[in-house]
């Protein structure tokens, strides 16, 4: 299996090195990652200037690695172009969870989505940094377990995985869709000028069986996702109720 490893935290992230290490046990790995941090860039693509890649300044124990002057989605598009026989794209390990409505902003997940758009399977991995640096040997063990499960479930194309610091198990989950409170928090810079932070907090407790619920219970959350956004139940209803 040929595995392309990318992320949105950039080529220097220790999470990228950990994921490459874990992936190397399952196939031939190449790393193609953004040259600077691209967190919260979602599925942005670079359309107004050309992309280029260079060798990685980081040594990944001999794994071939490149940095790209673009977004996570750019890295997947360019990486799968240069390495056209890629079987799997893995993204992460993001330093910070990607749960619930955060999936709309996530660059980590967007890389996996871009892979699926290009016909390649995509998996996003994220972990928490709330209690300091992740415990990589522990979570790499769980990443290996996820790889094993997905090896036998080839029909699943797009997966979002979140790993607690010291997992007690693994669960299939759905995306929590409860509302969050996204707001702008004002502040001032050292010159006294106004500046603003984008911040969000979940408004309600997580629903049982969801991604947020799983990590709250110290379980690795494995969420199969799809790219179709159409609300098919509503569409059926509208076609009947409001014929156009
Ligand atoms: Mn990130």
């Amino acid at each position: 299996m040929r595995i392309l490893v990318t992320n949105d935290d950039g080529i220097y992230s220790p999470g990228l090195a950990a994921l490459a290490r874990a992936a190397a046990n399952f196939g031939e790995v190449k790393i193609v990652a953004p040259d600077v941090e691209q967190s919260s860039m979602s599925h942005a693509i670079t359309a107004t200037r050309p992309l280029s890649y260079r060798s990685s300044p980081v040594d990944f124990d001999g794994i071939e690695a490149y940095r790209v002057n673009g977004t996570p989605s750019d890295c997947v598009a360019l990486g799968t172009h240069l390495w056209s026989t890629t079987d799997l794209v893995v993204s992460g390990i993001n330093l910070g969870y990607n749960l619930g409505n955060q999936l709309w902003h996530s660059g980590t997940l967007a890389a996996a989505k871009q892979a699926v758009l290009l016909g390649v399977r995509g998996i996003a991995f994220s972990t928490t940094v709330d209690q300091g640096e992740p415990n990589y040997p522990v979570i790499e063990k769980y990443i290996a377990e996820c790889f094993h499960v997905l090896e036998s479930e080839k029909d699943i194309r797009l997966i979002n995985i979140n790993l607690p610091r010291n997992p007690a198990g693994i669960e299939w989950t759905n995306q929590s869709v409860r509302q969050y409170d996204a707001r702008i928090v004002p502040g001032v810079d050292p010159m006294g000028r106004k500046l603003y932070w984008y911040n969000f907090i979940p408004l309600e407790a997580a629903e049982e069986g969801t991604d947020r619920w799983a990590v709250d219970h110290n379980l690795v959350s494995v969420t199969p996702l799809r790219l179709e956004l159409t609300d098919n139940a509503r569409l059926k209803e509208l076609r009947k109720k409001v014929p156009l």
Side-chain angles (χ1 to χ4, degrees), residues 7-9 37-40 94-96 98 107-108:
N7 73 350
D8 77 354
D9 292 337
E37 183 172 353
Q38 298 280 340
S39 290
S40 297
N94 191 61
L95 301 185
N98 278 300
T108 306

Side-chain angles (χ1 to χ4, degrees), residues 226-232:
R226 61 176 181 187
L227 291 178
E228 202 207 326
L229 296 177
T230 311
D231 182 343
N232 281 305

Side-chain angles (χ1 to χ4, degrees), residues 192-215:
R193 291 172 297 211
K194 282 182 187 165
L195 47 76
Y196 302 91
W197 288 97
Y198 182 92
N199 194 17
F200 57 81
I201 45 165
L203 281 179
E204 301 157 299
E207 318 89 304
E208 192 172 341
T210 62
D211 49 4
R212 279 176 54 208
W213 173 89
V215 300

Side-chain angles (χ1 to χ4, degrees), residues 24-166:
N25 294 317
F26 293 86
E28 192 189 335
V29 170
K30 269 187 201 177
I31 297 170
V32 181
D35 57 359
V36 294
E37 183 172 353
Q38 298 280 340
S39 290
S40 297
M41 291 299 280
S42 188
H43 210 135
I45 53 164
T46 300
T48 54
R49 60 171 176 82
L51 294 168
S52 61
Y53 68 94
R54 293 174 181 206
S55 277
S56 165
V58 184
D59 176 29
F60 293 91
D61 293 331
I63 295 173
E64 213 178 309
Y66 304 96
R67 57 181 158 144
V68 174
N69 60 342
T71 65
S73 300
D74 291 333
C75 291
V76 173
L78 185 57
T80 55
H81 168 78
L82 296 170
W83 203 27
S84 61
T85 50
T86 302
D87 301 302
L88 171 69
V89 171
V90 291
S91 176
I93 308 166
N94 191 61
L95 301 185
Y97 284 139
N98 278 300
L99 302 163
N101 287 316
Q102 292 168 344
L103 299 196
W104 291 104
H105 313 300
S106 171
T108 306
L109 176 63
K113 279 157 57 193
Q114 182 64 49
V116 175
L117 287 177
L118 294 168
V120 180
R121 204 174 196 204
I123 312 177
F125 290 95
S126 306
T127 190
T128 179
V129 285
D130 284 354
Q131 293 153 47
E133 275 291 297
N135 190 348
Y136 289 113
V138 170
I139 59 174
E140 279 172 42
K141 217 178 69 193
Y142 280 89
I143 288 173
E145 208 168 321
C146 292
F147 266 91
H148 279 305
V149 172
L150 297 172
E151 262 179 342
S152 60
E153 294 301 320
K154 292 260 191 307
D155 288 348
I156 309 172
R157 305 298 294 166
L158 179 62
I159 314 269
N160 186 45
I161 296 176
N162 283 274
L163 301 124
R165 187 176 172 78
N166 285 302

